Amino acid sequence: IKLELKDLYTVICERIYGRNQVITRVDDHITILECDMQNKRMILTFALSFGSKAKVIEPEWLREEVLKEAQLMLHNIKEEENE
């Protein structure tokens, strides 16, 4: 996977998240995390755990799943507000 993370460099550097992990500090705010992970559900949960601080760069299936999950979450909130 490849994630762009905002303002999380210190947090990211403290752990190993997957095989072949590479952390690139782009600037004071942006960090790129690349690593190999297994289990699609766990990868999705991992990416979502960073909330709005993360942008999925690749793979495409993960970008699509994060978008679907975010849309479902928003739908659930709107549905509750309308009750």
Side-chain angles (χ1 to χ4, degrees), residues 5-81:
L5 303 165
K6 185 174 181 182
D7 298 324
L8 292 173
Y9 179 76
T10 304
V11 173
I12 294 303
C13 288
E14 293 177 350
R15 292 193 57 197
I16 296 174
Y17 295 99
R19 288 177 283 132
N20 304 314
Q21 180 169 304
V22 176
I23 298 169
T24 306
R25 190 170 193 174
V26 176
D27 60 32
D28 287 344
H29 299 284
I30 302 298
T31 303
I32 303 294
L33 169 66
E34 299 176 76
C35 64
D36 298 328
M37 299 175 84
Q38 297 177 342
N39 187 317
K40 286 187 173 186
R41 185 67 195 165
M42 293 303 295
I43 294 169
L44 175 60
T45 301
F46 174 73
L48 289 170
S49 74
F50 295 105
S52 63
K53 300 252 183 212
K55 179 169 77 173
V56 177
I57 298 172
E58 53 186 49
E60 185 61 32
W61 70 262
L62 182 56
R63 290 174 58 89
E64 292 168 5
E65 288 299 315
V66 166
L67 179 60
K68 283 181 198 173
E69 194 68 24
Q71 289 171 334
L72 283 170
M73 292 167 67
L74 183 59
H75 172 77
N76 289 342
I77 291 169
K78 287 182 176 182
E79 196 172 76
E80 279 183 10
E81 290 174 351

